Amino acid sequence: HGWKYSPSWNQLVFIFKDQEGEVEAWQARNFNEGKTKYFSQGPLNDILPIFQTSERFLEGSQPRRLVVVEDVVSAAKIARQSDAMPCLGSHLPVRKINALKRLYSSLIVWLDHDKWKEACEIADKAKWLGMSARVIYSEGDPKEYSDDEIKIEITS
């Protein structure tokens, strides 16, 4: 995925590029105690960092779906089963949902268990805008589950 690790800063860096391949924004996951967990630079509110599943398969009568999660690592793991996108936090602005509506008809929101209210708010906004939407609740972060468990969650 083009991620970088900085040993001197003890950070995992996620780079987001524009259509020309130029760096548009980045986010670093800090592993140092006492420091801010995430540090970002660039217009994160203007990007749709969608991780597409490598398998292009027909979903039968199912609408094309996108799984929305909080973080980049969860999105990359979910993308083994379905297209996924990190919110890069726990909120998804209406303008991003409107942009996603042109690409997807169904939204699944799977945030960490302590962000249930925010997940429901995202799903409600999507429904209000005419998308099919539902929320997955789990005790663990999406990236903590196996591929088989993820597949069961997103297809049930």
Side-chain angles (χ1 to χ4, degrees):
H1 297 291
W3 302 345
K4 308 287 183 196
Y5 178 72
S6 170
S8 61
W9 290 93
N10 196 21
Q11 294 177 335
L12 184 58
V13 182
F14 311 107
I15 299 169
F16 306 105
K17 296 183 179 183
D18 63 18
Q19 292 179 345
E20 288 79 39
E22 298 295 320
V23 174
E24 188 171 14
W26 58 271
Q27 184 178 68
R29 168 58 164 93
N30 193 349
F31 295 102
N32 293 309
E33 284 197 34
K35 301 263 184 165
T36 303
K37 189 173 180 180
Y38 287 97
F39 177 77
S40 303
Q41 189 70 34
L44 291 179
N45 287 332
D46 297 333
I47 62 172
L48 295 174
I50 297 171
F51 288 71
Q52 293 183 323
T53 184
S54 58
E55 293 184 33
R56 288 283 142 216
F57 54 88
L58 297 175
E59 295 179 341
S61 61
Q62 293 261 342
R64 188 164 155 85
R65 71 170 176 253
L66 178 72
V67 180
V68 175
V69 294
E70 286 183 55
D71 64 277
V72 175
V73 176
S74 290
K77 187 155 184 189
I78 296 287
R80 296 177 189 170
Q81 308 297 324
S82 175
D83 288 4
M85 186 186 86
C87 302
L88 304 172
S90 56
H91 298 281
L92 195 61
V94 169
R95 75 174 185 282
K96 278 193 177 187
I97 297 172
N98 261 327
L100 293 170
K101 184 180 171 184
R102 291 189 288 265
L103 304 169
Y104 300 93
S105 56
S106 177
L107 203 67
I108 299 172
V109 185
W110 189 355
L111 306 184
D112 296 354
H113 73 278
D114 63 332
K115 299 296 182 183
W116 174 253
K117 179 181 173 191
E118 291 86 345
C120 291
E121 288 172 359
I122 293 169
D124 287 345
K125 286 182 207 175
K127 289 176 188 174
W128 179 73
L129 293 169
M131 295 179 79
S132 168
R134 68 181 176 92
V135 177
I136 294 175
Y137 176 85
S138 63
E139 285 297 320
D141 188 284
K143 64 182 163 270
E144 296 174 12
Y145 292 92
S146 71
D147 289 345
D148 288 338
E149 291 169 322
I150 290 168
K151 188 173 188 173
I152 290 167
E153 287 291 337
I154 64 176
T155 58
S156 61

